[in-house]
Amino acid sequence: MSMTPNESPTSSTEPPPMTRFPVIVSKRNASTNTLSRRINSWIYRNIQRPWMIFSAPFYFVLWGPHPVHLAFTLFWPFPWKFPLPPPLPVQDLLDDPNIILNRRFTDVNYVTLRKIVRFRQRDTPLRSLYRLYETVVADNEDEMMQESQYWFHKQTDWLLVDIPDPQDPDPVRYAILASLTDALVLSFNHKIKYGMRRGITDKQPMKICEFRSDPDPPLESSPTWCMEVGPLSQRLELMPGIGTIIPGDLTVIPGPLTTDDFRPFFKRNIVANFVQLYNI
């Protein structure tokens, strides 16, 4: 079929192009939207956000084990600093390494407690040190990482040199606590030399490059009582879940401790995994 010069092959199938009309926004609508955004921003800053901050601890408490007892413990102010709970024996942690994980659902969940400001205000360095002791013996790397991050970033007033002497009556546990304190010093100083600062670079990571060139970084040091805890009389390998039995005659050898700044556990005749202390 022939086509006239004015015809097009698609003229009978394609719809005509749509006519676009300009969108007219009145000054009244623009000012109304601006006012609405300002009102919503004011409500969020002055009502919603303060309420979320205030109510967050209650949600953490309600979703944890024993919420009524935990709420009473948090808000009862006497004594202000929480006492040290009875420490778990080394053998119990070696026999049942899941005891820390199971505790989250049956007794207390420190993952949520560390997020509560009131708990952080009433917590103590010795309590945290004993929680770290449990993670090292049970080889719970997740809890070890979270507890060390909590110490480095949230408890900036807890200087390692000020950790009080636990004077633990169990010689094996006492040697582990001393080795763990020395290991914390190594891991903290490693990050400080890299440019991290406690309580600062977790919120302002761009300052790491600035602090990295600091000629006098605020390095941590071990308390004096650590040097007084000697090595164990026999080699102890903290390998949970494989039937490790602690000898009944295992004691701490008195005398000066061999200086070893890179193997805090090995110098006390202990083999342990503490690599997650560096993950802060």
Side-chain angles (χ1 to χ4, degrees):
M1 184 177 62
S2 63
M3 293 184 296
T4 62
N6 294 330
E7 289 181 341
S8 171
T10 59
S11 60
S12 59
T13 59
E14 291 184 357
M18 296 180 61
T19 304
R20 296 186 178 182
F21 297 94
V23 179
I24 301 176
V25 179
S26 65
K27 293 184 178 179
R28 182 178 180 181
N29 290 339
S31 61
T32 302
N33 293 336
T34 302
L35 179 62
S36 177
R37 286 196 298 268
R38 289 180 177 178
I39 293 175
N40 291 335
S41 177
W42 185 92
I43 292 175
Y44 173 77
R45 291 195 312 268
N46 297 277
I47 299 178
Q48 291 180 341
R49 191 171 185 274
W51 171 252
M52 288 188 295
I53 295 174
F54 172 78
S55 61
F58 297 97
Y59 288 107
F60 292 139
V61 170
L62 288 175
W63 284 102
H66 312 296
V68 176
H69 178 267
L70 180 58
F72 178 81
T73 303
L74 286 174
F75 290 98
W76 180 255
F78 306 106
W80 177 246
K81 291 297 184 180
F82 291 131
L84 181 68
L88 294 174
V90 180
Q91 190 64 63
D92 290 357
L93 291 166
L94 291 175
D95 294 340
D96 185 12
N98 293 324
I99 191 171
I100 300 176
L101 180 61
N102 296 334
R103 184 174 58 190
R104 294 183 184 179
F105 309 100
T106 60
D107 185 17
V108 59
N109 188 349
Y110 286 107
V111 176
T112 57
L113 280 180
R114 286 188 287 260
K115 300 177 182 178
I116 301 176
V117 175
R118 193 172 183 86
F119 172 80
R120 297 200 297 264
Q121 293 172 342
R122 303 180 64 183
D123 200 11
T124 65
L126 270 186
R127 286 172 54 90
S128 184
L129 184 66
Y130 271 90
R131 292 196 297 267
L132 278 172
Y133 143 78
E134 295 173 354
T135 64
V136 170
V137 178
D139 198 18
N140 189 316
E141 292 189 329
D142 180 60
E143 281 280 353
M144 189 189 310
M145 175 192 66
Q146 294 187 54
E147 192 70 37
S148 61
Q149 291 176 348
Y150 163 74
W151 193 312
F152 189 88
H153 293 296
K154 302 301 181 182
Q155 297 291 3
T156 55
D157 294 334
W158 291 359
L159 298 180
L160 299 180
V161 71
D162 295 332
I163 298 177
D165 188 350
Q167 299 179 346
D168 199 295
D170 185 343
V172 177
R173 191 164 55 210
Y174 196 25
I176 295 174
L177 290 170
S179 302
L180 179 56
T181 304
D182 290 337
L184 282 173
V185 173
L186 288 178
S187 62
F188 280 22
N189 287 343
H190 174 78
K191 292 298 185 181
I192 291 173
K193 292 176 182 178
Y194 180 75
M196 297 181 67
R197 293 294 183 270
R198 301 182 61 181
I200 300 177
T201 49
D202 59 326
K203 304 180 184 66
Q204 304 177 55
M206 297 303 294
K207 286 196 171 185
I208 291 179
C209 296
E210 175 185 344
F211 289 135
R212 194 176 299 170
S213 58
D214 187 356
D216 187 23
L219 299 179
E220 300 274 356
S221 59
S222 298
T224 55
W225 60 267
C226 288
M227 288 299 298
E228 301 174 2
V229 183
L232 296 178
S233 57
Q234 302 179 40
R235 175 68 58 85
L236 174 62
E237 297 185 0
L238 299 179
M239 302 179 64
I242 61 172
T244 302
I245 303 298
I246 299 177
D249 57 347
L250 193 60
T251 59
V252 174
I253 301 176
L257 183 65
T258 303
T259 302
D260 191 336
D261 295 333
F262 300 99
R263 297 181 296 178
F265 284 90
F266 187 79
K267 68 181 180 181
R268 291 186 177 88
N269 222 2
I270 302 172
V271 178
N273 173 23
F274 62 96
V275 67
Q276 286 300 324
L277 294 180
Y278 287 83
N279 195 359
I280 52 179

